[in-house]
Amino acid sequence: MTRVVLSIGANLGDRLAHLRGVLDALGERTRAVSPVYTTAPWGGVDQDDYLNAVVVAEDPTFDGYDWLRFGQRLEQAAGRVRAVRWGARTLDVDIVQCVDGGEAVVRDTDPTLILPHPEAYHRAFVLVPWHDVEPDARLRVDGAEVPIGELLHAVDPAERAGVVRTDLVLGESARPC
């Protein structure tokens, strides 16, 4: 059984519909859904703000590569174009962490799938919604399992303040694990 933490975001088109499409595709595999946040774009490319959320899901038949292909199919279905690094996106689905049999999967030598996500530990738009649904979660950083609350506290306060909770809802209700 693999358990995955997905960071999802959109800033083109019907942003909320694109995010809801992830939940529709996950169906019964969904274990937790964070509230929806609005965030400024990251990476220095001029573009509109994002809607972001975190989804926790489980599937006994999936490994990390299956989750990667799943996310890529959803991005393609939403019309994502990869023209500019950190550019505007109809849908972005990132695997933050994958746990298999209770152990976090670590892949740091395969550029196709690096786990855990190498930048997640310092991105408030990932940590804030993840903390909402799994406040006791831990993320491997430099070989150590670090509570995400500690990681979030270490993020620049201005970046944390830029992650603003909305009244938007992805599913019937945001539900913790």
Side-chain angles (χ1 to χ4, degrees):
M1 163 90 52
T2 62
R3 180 180 185 87
V4 69
V5 176
L6 300 173
S7 174
I8 59 176
N11 75 336
L12 288 175
D14 189 339
R15 300 175 303 164
L16 188 60
H18 292 309
L19 298 184
R20 285 180 174 156
V22 174
L23 287 181
D24 292 344
L26 284 168
E28 294 298 315
R29 295 177 286 193
T30 304
R31 297 293 172 261
V33 181
S34 77
V36 177
Y37 288 84
T38 184
T39 61
W42 200 93
V45 176
D46 186 32
Q47 57 190 298
D48 292 335
D49 287 350
Y50 278 82
L51 290 182
N52 290 100
V54 163
V55 179
V56 179
E58 292 179 350
D59 191 308
T61 66
F62 272 30
D63 66 11
Y65 292 99
D66 293 314
W67 288 114
L68 177 64
R69 286 187 293 273
F70 172 82
Q72 289 172 338
R73 282 192 305 270
L74 293 176
E75 290 173 348
Q76 289 172 345
R80 171 146 180 202
V81 175
R82 295 176 185 268
V84 177
R85 185 172 190 190
W86 294 316
R89 299 160 188 182
T90 53
L91 180 62
D92 188 32
V93 180
D94 285 336
I95 301 171
V96 176
Q97 175 173 267
C98 186
V99 176
D100 190 2
E103 294 292 321
V105 176
V106 177
R107 293 193 198 296
D108 57 7
T109 60
D110 181 352
T112 304
L113 178 62
I114 300 173
L115 293 172
H117 191 290
E119 302 297 326
Y121 72 97
H122 60 79
R123 290 191 174 155
F125 68 85
V126 173
L127 296 171
V128 170
W130 188 13
H131 191 263
D132 282 342
V133 294
E134 290 190 321
D136 296 327
R138 301 171 83 78
L139 183 67
R140 181 175 292 277
V141 177
D142 296 329
E145 296 288 329
V146 182
I148 61 170
E150 285 182 28
L151 297 171
L152 183 56
H153 184 71
V155 171
D156 181 285
E159 187 175 337
R160 285 195 314 261
V163 180
V164 179
R165 189 172 177 164
T166 71
D167 292 331
L168 303 171
V169 178
L170 290 184
E172 294 173 18
S173 65
R175 51 191 184 268
C177 293

